Amino acid sequence: MASSAQLPPIAGAAAGRRGSNGHKTPLDKGFGASGAGSGRRRMLHARSTGSTGSSPKKTLCASSTLRSSASTRNRTGLRSAAAGNVADAVLDPQSSKNSLRHNVCLELLVAGHVEAFDELFELTETHESGQQLSADERTLRTLQRNLSIAEAASRKGDDAQVIAARRRAAEHLEEGGNDAAAAHFRKSCMDLATRSSDAASKTNAWESLGLLAERRGHLTEAASAFDAMYDVAKADCLEQLAPACKHCARVGLKVSEQLAASGDRVGAIAAAQTASKHASDGSHADLQCKANFQLGCQLELDGQAQDAVTYLEKFIDSDGGAQNEQAHSVACAALARCHESLGDLETAVHFLTRLVSSSTARRVDGLLSSSCAQLGQICSKQGKQQEAGGWFEKALENTESPSRAQAIQVQAGLARAQSAQDTFLRAVLGNTPEDLQKLLQWKASGELPS
């Protein structure tokens, strides 16, 4: 018998059972016609013994799966009960304690939804591993309803409706923690979407699967589904191209963030670049703005300063960049670091002074302090030691981290020492009465006048 992790293939996806003459069997027509009792029993007996005449390719239920004798008795008993043969309806007492399950399965048979019956029976059967689908009344009824809809839609050839019904079943199961059964339904939806010949149905199916996976936090699965949607839309369904681009860009940026958090900066940059392309292709300005920000920040951290400047400047010049004040401040700080590393100190100072004068910088943890410290370092490089000291003092005033404060104190001390050295050298080389007076004051007080 199959384990709970290896659930049977799709039962509701078959196009409808047909006899060897190509016409629908009485099972497909339901059980409403009077005088059809004996024919019904024959068909149910044939189904239970695997001799319906159906094509194995269309019957997607796992008929080759080995089942226990109790499971077989219950399945045959339910079929007999549905056919009106009470004498044959003998159920195993140990496996039929759940009368609700029994009734739900029986209702599916009576309604003529044989494929739905097979699938629900197998999903709720206790397997050799001892595992069983955790099915309360709401879950059983949800599966009953959606499997019935899927089977009816399958007979009409409506793949989109089949996928929608099976997707709803997967969503319900995932909410209840039945991940293995939910995975079974998700896979069946993907199989149907792949086989569908209708482009619109395919794009809708992949979109539904992608949204479901994204909602559950399965970003890799969601990205694959939306990529498939994009490929179909680009080739055969252009009206769905913009939505596909939006989904691809949104999930791509989430993947980029996830990779960056795990330390995979190269992967994060690649994912953000792909997301940026999708956002551009779909003319989604908000996502393009976010992609520019993420790319710029990741490229700056990766040491690619020039490329980072390109994306960060696009971000701060956009409407979205102007509206997001905190991200705007972070981008300014990154631009300052990039320009400093490129040797353009004036532009770096421009972005930093612009940043420290804004009130937003105070709301971003550590940003004001680090910006003041960076201004101090730049002023020190430019020989403006007194100005550097002032920026370091301001940095100390705005930091709450002891380790950060200690580092700033060291930088401030170095700036003061450099300033004193410069003053001393100017006094010695100047050799004027004023310079001599400064040196005498330094000797007496221990502090060299500026």
Side-chain angles (χ1 to χ4, degrees), residues 165-187:
R166 300 183 72 81
R167 177 178 59 82
R168 289 192 297 270
E171 289 174 342
H172 177 83
L173 289 167
E174 286 193 331
E175 288 173 1
N178 290 302
D179 292 336
H184 157 72
F185 280 101
R186 285 203 309 273
K187 183 180 185 303

Side-chain angles (χ1 to χ4, degrees), residues 94-333:
Q94 296 302 316
S95 300
S96 299
K97 292 180 180 180
N98 188 350
S99 60
L100 175 62
R101 173 195 179 227
H102 162 75
N103 290 336
V104 169
C105 289
L106 190 60
E107 287 168 11
L108 286 172
L109 278 176
V110 170
H113 298 300
V114 182
E115 296 288 351
F117 159 76
D118 271 340
E119 187 165 10
L120 183 59
F121 188 95
E122 184 65 24
L123 280 168
T124 56
E125 179 68 0
T126 302
H127 300 291
E128 288 176 350
S129 62
Q131 296 180 335
Q132 185 180 21
L133 171 68
S134 176
D136 54 19
E137 181 174 3
R138 182 167 173 262
T139 296
L140 283 172
R141 293 300 182 188
T142 298
L143 293 177
Q144 178 191 33
R145 181 172 61 256
N146 285 295
L147 286 172
S148 297
I149 293 171
E151 184 169 349
S154 177
R155 291 171 182 172
K156 297 176 183 177
D158 188 349
D159 289 340
Q161 183 70 5
V162 174
I163 291 170
R166 300 183 72 81
R167 177 178 59 82
R168 289 192 297 270
E171 289 174 342
H172 177 83
L173 289 167
E174 286 193 331
E175 288 173 1
N178 290 302
D179 292 336
H184 157 72
F185 280 101
R186 285 203 309 273
K187 183 180 185 303
S188 71
C189 288
M190 294 180 73
D191 291 342
L192 277 169
T194 302
R195 292 197 302 269
S196 177
S197 59
D198 179 63
S201 295
K202 275 188 175 183
T203 55
N204 290 335
W206 286 121
E207 182 179 34
S208 296
L209 288 168
L211 291 171
L212 172 61
E214 183 183 4
R215 193 157 54 245
R216 303 303 298 176
H218 305 154
L219 295 182
T220 302
E221 184 180 333
S224 297
F226 289 137
D227 283 342
M229 177 188 177
Y230 173 82
D231 291 339
V232 175
K234 189 175 183 180
D236 301 309
C237 196
L238 292 178
E239 64 270 18
Q240 290 294 318
L241 187 58
C245 287
K246 184 176 183 177
H247 293 318
C248 287
R250 183 185 65 256
V251 172
L253 290 174
K254 289 182 180 180
V255 170
S256 177
E257 291 175 350
Q258 195 176 67
L259 291 170
S262 69
D264 185 0
R265 192 171 296 146
V266 174
I269 291 171
Q273 286 173 333
T274 302
S276 176
K277 180 182 181 303
H278 283 305
S280 177
D281 291 346
S283 301
H284 298 293
D286 55 335
L287 291 169
Q288 182 67 69
C289 176
K290 188 174 181 180
N292 288 335
F293 176 73
Q294 285 189 207
L295 265 173
C297 291
Q298 289 301 319
L299 288 166
E300 188 260 324
L301 290 172
D302 198 49
Q304 302 181 50
Q306 192 61 64
D307 290 335
V309 166
T310 301
Y311 286 105
L312 289 169
E313 288 184 343
K314 285 181 180 179
F315 170 74
I316 64 172
D317 291 339
S318 66
D319 292 338
Q323 292 169 5
N324 191 333
E325 293 182 354
Q326 289 196 6
H328 190 276
S329 296
V330 172
C332 283

Side-chain angles (χ1 to χ4, degrees), residues 63 73 99 228 234 335 373-374 384 396 415 419:
S63 60
R73 286 198 301 275
S99 60
K234 189 175 183 180
L335 276 167
Q374 189 178 354
K384 304 174 183 178
L396 278 172
S419 178

Side-chain angles (χ1 to χ4, degrees), residues 385-403:
Q385 304 303 335
Q386 283 189 322
E387 189 175 347
W391 284 118
F392 285 131
E393 290 298 328
K394 190 170 183 179
L396 278 172
E397 293 172 5
N398 290 279
T399 187
E400 296 180 358
S401 168
S403 59

